[in-house]
Amino acid sequence: MTALHREAGYQALRGTRSSARSRPGPARRHASRRTRRFALNGIGVVVALVTLFPILWMVSTAFKPPSELYSLTPHPLPAHPTLGNFTAVLNGQAAGLGISFWIFARNSLYVTVVTVVLASVVSLLAAVAVARFRFRFRAAYLIMLLIVQMLPAQALVIPLFIDFRGIGLLDSLTGLILIYTAQALPISIWLLRNFVAAVPRDLEEAASIDGAGPVRVFWRILFPLVAPGLVATSIFSFITAWNEFIFALTFLLNDQSKFTLPIYVQFFFGKGTADWGGIMAASTLYTIPVMLFFLFVQRRMVGGLVAGAVKG
Amino acid sequence: MAETVESPGRRRLSPPAVGARPDQRNRPGLLARAGRRRAASAPGANRPGQARAGAFIRRHRLGPYLLLLPSLIGIGLILAWPTIQVGILSFQNFGLGQLSGAAPTQWVGFSNFTNILHDPEFWLALRNTVVFAAAVVVLTLLIGTLVGLLLHHLGRRMATFVSSATLLAWATPVVSASVVFYWLFSPDGGIVDWSLSKLPGWLGGGAHWAAFNWTTSGALPAYTVLTFIVVWMGFPFIAVTVLAGLKTIPAELIEAARVDGASPWRSFWGITYPLMKPIFLVLLLLSIIWDFGVFTQTYLITGELGNRDEYNLSLYAYDKAFTLPPSYGLGAALALILTVILLITTVGYVRASVRQGAIS
């Protein structure tokens, strides 16, 4: 659509402008544009395939029986596809843990959902404060958010390990939720404040003239209008919680039934069994939900990211 | 709060606030606020305690601070205070004894830092970190910008296809990406070694590539694999951001340059680049921050602390802090060095953001 419009714009512009200059005839110009489009599409296909290759290879390996994995000539697609790798992962035989994939999936899902909800609530409150009020330390707070989101987890993990050991939050999903929520807050607040600021103030004021209190104004007016923004920002808390590695690796020491998915995949990988079919099946199952989620919210995310990344 | 218990009718009937200037009467916001303030302090409110609290909050303008409070607690306890603790720990000898409380705190001054600076492994890790970050930042920005430009010039359907593909790379969790690339580069059955061994010699291929072990043969091969992973995961963000920036440039500008005979190369450096410079600056700083001290990928690819000559600063710090016998103080000193380097970059990022009007 936009590309077509732009193309039309080009032609219109060229029609009015190029008369003064000597330019190739229309037929030749048309042909050269077709070649150009063809070349661009070719490059596009190559870029997409190269980008997709590791993912395709992961999925294809997951369906390969052991005999095909170590054959002297690897084939892109399994000759005799099998679900054996997936069954072994799902029934818990694969990594030798005897714990089903579903347990780890449940842990990850629990941690992720609670993190997303907590981070959304806390960051929406803060976003309203930042977008709707002028107060002292407002600029300082915003700058603090920018700085704090850069603090490296590799550094924080050392004192937090000591602190959480002291209060009994090691080997606990609650401990991870607290950390992931805090980690997700800066970017969530930063992005959400743009969405809150975009809601016209008049709407709220009109509602409060009609007698709605701040709580009602919030739920009836602000919340529905900010909801798309909440979806966009929740992607970031989702990714934080679903992908996080270093804290889970360090804190989940003794209780394997508490492993989140990345730690399960790491454990399986780190055993050095070279059961690549099984490892790829596990990481496929771990990866697919995020990919679906990403594709589902693609538009919103790009919009939110751009608002956050380009403007801040 | 008081307003919730109030009947809507009463509000509408109430006269304009005393002292309100005539020109303010028609301004709903001010009126509502004035009315609300008065209603909240009215003695007849149904829930006097709540009403009083509401009035107190409003009188002292505590609203925004109360709204910020949960986020401040979370960030303070989980991000800010531990950063200070890193600083404190780095001047202590903190091991298993201190962790269990059996041994008293030992302040050791700068000895953690002098130990580190005299450790050749630190300088090796620093070199690996800096060289890797430089290579990856340049490659990610370059490839990301090129793909962004490509997306900008593709037709709609093709652009959707390519951007969906890059989105999938972006969506892949770090652990999955690391494990998959490890398998691609694996010496037994990996596709990369197989392909290289089949390549003709003049292209650098040959039988010696068969069963070449990328991850245990020193820093260069290991970080080559890591470069692939980090660039693969990182370029989509750059591409999408560059694309968004390109869309803000008026098409007429580029077209005018083209009509005047400028090559695409010249119009990029003459128009696109100057207009997008702030975006590139932010992307550069963000990339430096993200690619400096990459932990997860490095941990998994270099064999989970198995190859000391392949350490970067993050792995080195983690190894000092968590490999038995743990030395949290030494690890913290290293973590502090890492944090300071990143914070210096962050200052640039914050300044760039402020200059772009992000703090408004």
Side-chain angles (χ1 to χ4, degrees), chain A residues 10 14 37 45 51 57 61 72 138 141 154 163 165 193 205 209 250 266 286-287 305 310-312, chain B residues 28-29 33 71 85 99 153 156 158 170 176 183-184 194 232 255 258 293 304 314 318 349 356 358 360:
Chain A
Y10 282 163
R14 199 175 294 138
R37 176 114 300 175
V45 170
T51 309
W57 198 253
T61 306
L72 290 174
R138 185 175 167 279
Y141 179 81
Q154 306 92 295
D163 295 343
R165 190 184 172 278
R193 86 198 164 108
E205 302 201 325
I209 307 202
T250 314
Q266 175 268 333
Y286 166 47
T287 306
L305 256 184
V310 179
K311 294 190 74 186
Chain B
R33 252 175 268 142
S71 66
Q85 278 183 300
L99 186 68
H153 288 103
R156 190 170 65 106
M158 199 62 197
W170 191 9
S176 295
W183 163 229
L184 290 174
W194 179 81
W232 182 73
E255 178 57 22
R258 198 157 67 128
E304 314 199 343
S314 299
Y318 194 84
Y349 171 69
Q356 282 178 48
S360 56

Side-chain angles (χ1 to χ4, degrees), chain B residues 19 60 101 130 136 153 194 196 204 213 215 217 231 255 268 295 312 327 344 351 353:
Chain B
H60 295 274
V130 171
V136 167
H153 288 103
W194 179 81
L196 285 172
N213 197 325
T215 57
S217 311
V231 171
E255 178 57 22
F268 177 82
F295 180 83
N312 63 6
S327 172
I344 292 171
R351 282 183 51 172
S353 300

Side-chain angles (χ1 to χ4, degrees), chain A residues 54-305:
Chain A
I55 298 165
L56 298 176
W57 198 253
M58 168 178 82
V59 177
S60 128
T61 306
F63 285 102
K64 283 181 181 172
S67 59
E68 288 181 43
L69 283 174
Y70 310 106
S71 76
L72 290 174
T73 46
H75 289 282
L77 290 174
H80 307 283
T82 168
L83 286 174
N85 297 319
F86 289 100
T87 335
V89 167
L90 290 178
N91 69 22
Q93 284 169 357
L97 278 170
I99 303 172
S100 161
F101 175 87
W102 296 115
I103 302 289
F104 309 118
R106 199 191 60 193
N107 292 341
S108 263
L109 199 65
Y110 168 69
V111 168
T112 305
V113 168
V114 179
T115 300
V116 166
V117 171
L118 273 179
S120 296
V121 172
V122 174
S123 53
L124 184 57
L125 294 177
V128 168
V130 174
R132 280 288 183 258
F133 293 87
R134 302 277 136 183
F135 54 93
R136 278 183 76 191
F137 308 121
R138 185 175 167 279
Y141 179 81
L142 288 173
I143 289 174
M144 183 273 290
L145 291 182
L146 283 182
I147 295 174
V148 141
Q149 68 171 335
M150 301 304 172
L151 292 173
Q154 306 92 295
L156 296 174
V157 69
I158 298 171
L160 281 171
F161 174 81
I162 298 170
D163 295 343
F164 276 30
R165 190 184 172 278
I167 50 177
L169 280 178
L170 295 186
D171 282 313
S172 140
L173 296 179
T174 314
L176 291 183
I177 289 171
L178 292 176
I179 292 174
Y180 300 166
T181 305
Q183 282 187 321
L185 281 180
I187 185 127
S188 297
I189 300 168
W190 191 260
L191 295 179
L192 258 184
R193 86 198 164 108
N194 293 327
F195 287 99
V196 175
V199 176
R201 228 175 252 251
D202 299 357
L203 278 177
E204 288 160 44
E205 302 201 325
S208 74
I209 307 202
D210 289 350
V215 175
R216 247 180 92 135
V217 169
F218 175 81
W219 280 112
R220 290 297 179 79
I221 312 282
L222 192 63
F223 185 75
L225 289 171
V226 175
L230 271 176
V231 174
T233 48
S234 69
I235 299 159
F236 290 92
S237 9
F238 181 98
I239 299 170
T240 306
W242 190 262
N243 293 4
E244 202 284 330
F245 181 69
I246 185 168
F247 284 105
L249 174 78
T250 314
F251 288 12
L252 305 175
L253 286 171
N254 305 314
D255 190 350
Q256 291 169 336
S257 70
K258 292 269 173 61
F259 279 3
T260 54
L261 284 176
I263 302 309
Y264 165 63
V265 174
Q266 175 268 333
F267 179 86
F268 194 174
F269 166 79
K271 274 176 73 89
T273 51
D275 173 9
W276 288 109
I279 298 170
M280 290 301 120
S283 71
T284 302
L285 289 172
Y286 166 47
T287 306
I288 295 293
V290 216
M291 291 193 166
L292 292 179
F293 190 71
F294 259 60
L295 288 177
F296 180 63
V297 292
Q298 181 172 6
R299 287 240 172 103
R300 291 201 175 132
M301 182 177 61
V302 171
L305 256 184

Side-chain angles (χ1 to χ4, degrees), chain B residues 132-201:
Chain B
F132 176 68
V136 167
V137 166
V138 169
L139 281 172
T140 323
L141 283 176
L142 192 69
I143 295 174
T145 308
L146 288 175
V147 173
L149 283 166
L150 177 72
L151 288 172
H152 190 55
H153 288 103
L154 283 175
R156 190 170 65 106
R157 273 176 36 210
M158 199 62 197
T160 311
F161 173 60
V162 178
S163 69
S164 300
T166 57
L167 196 77
L168 289 180
W170 191 9
T172 306
V174 194
V175 172
S176 295
S178 309
V179 169
V180 170
F181 274 85
Y182 192 97
W183 163 229
L184 290 174
F185 283 86
S186 157
D188 339 284
I191 181 86
V192 174
D193 278 0
W194 179 81
S195 311
L196 285 172
S197 72
K198 296 290 173 206
L199 267 186

Side-chain angles (χ1 to χ4, degrees), chain B residues 110-325:
Chain B
F110 284 92
S111 80
N112 285 329
F113 293 95
T114 45
N115 276 346
I116 290 167
L117 296 181
H118 287 108
D119 184 352
E121 278 186 12
F122 167 75
W123 295 103
L124 191 66
L126 186 67
R127 190 199 68 184
N128 287 343
T129 308
V130 171
V131 173
F132 176 68
V136 167
V137 166
V138 169
L139 281 172
T140 323
L141 283 176
L142 192 69
I143 295 174
T145 308
L146 288 175
V147 173
L149 283 166
L150 177 72
L151 288 172
H152 190 55
H153 288 103
L154 283 175
R156 190 170 65 106
R157 273 176 36 210
M158 199 62 197
T160 311
F161 173 60
V162 178
S163 69
S164 300
T166 57
L167 196 77
L168 289 180
W170 191 9
T172 306
V174 194
V175 172
S176 295
S178 309
V179 169
V180 170
F181 274 85
Y182 192 97
W183 163 229
L184 290 174
F185 283 86
S186 157
D188 339 284
I191 181 86
V192 174
D193 278 0
W194 179 81
S195 311
L196 285 172
S197 72
K198 296 290 173 206
L199 267 186
W202 56 272
L203 275 174
H208 62 282
W209 283 109
F212 175 72
N213 197 325
W214 290 83
T215 57
T216 58
S217 311
L220 191 61
Y223 278 90
T224 307
V225 180
L226 282 162
T227 306
F228 275 101
I229 302 176
V230 178
V231 171
W232 182 73
M233 293 187 71
F235 86 86
F237 172 79
I238 311 280
V240 164
T241 315
V242 167
L243 176 66
L246 288 171
K247 289 215 164 121
T248 64
I249 296 176
E252 298 82 45
L253 269 181
I254 308 281
E255 178 57 22
R258 198 157 67 128
V259 168
D260 289 345
S263 64
W265 178 259
R266 252 198 87 186
S267 90
F268 177 82
W269 290 110
I271 300 171
T272 312
Y273 178 72
L275 282 173
M276 300 219 345
K277 221 170 163 185
I279 296 176
F280 281 121
L281 178 64
V282 167
L283 286 177
L284 173 73
L285 293 166
L286 278 176
S287 300
I288 294 174
I289 291 165
W290 288 336
D291 299 335
F292 199 91
V294 168
F295 180 83
T296 307
Q297 296 92 318
T298 320
Y299 178 85
L300 292 168
I301 292 297
T302 63
E304 314 199 343
L305 306 179
N307 295 286
R308 304 186 73 85
D309 53 338
E310 296 171 8
Y311 278 5
N312 63 6
L313 276 186
S314 299
L315 285 190
Y316 184 56
Y318 194 84
D319 178 51
K320 287 282 179 248
F322 291 107
T323 303
L324 291 170

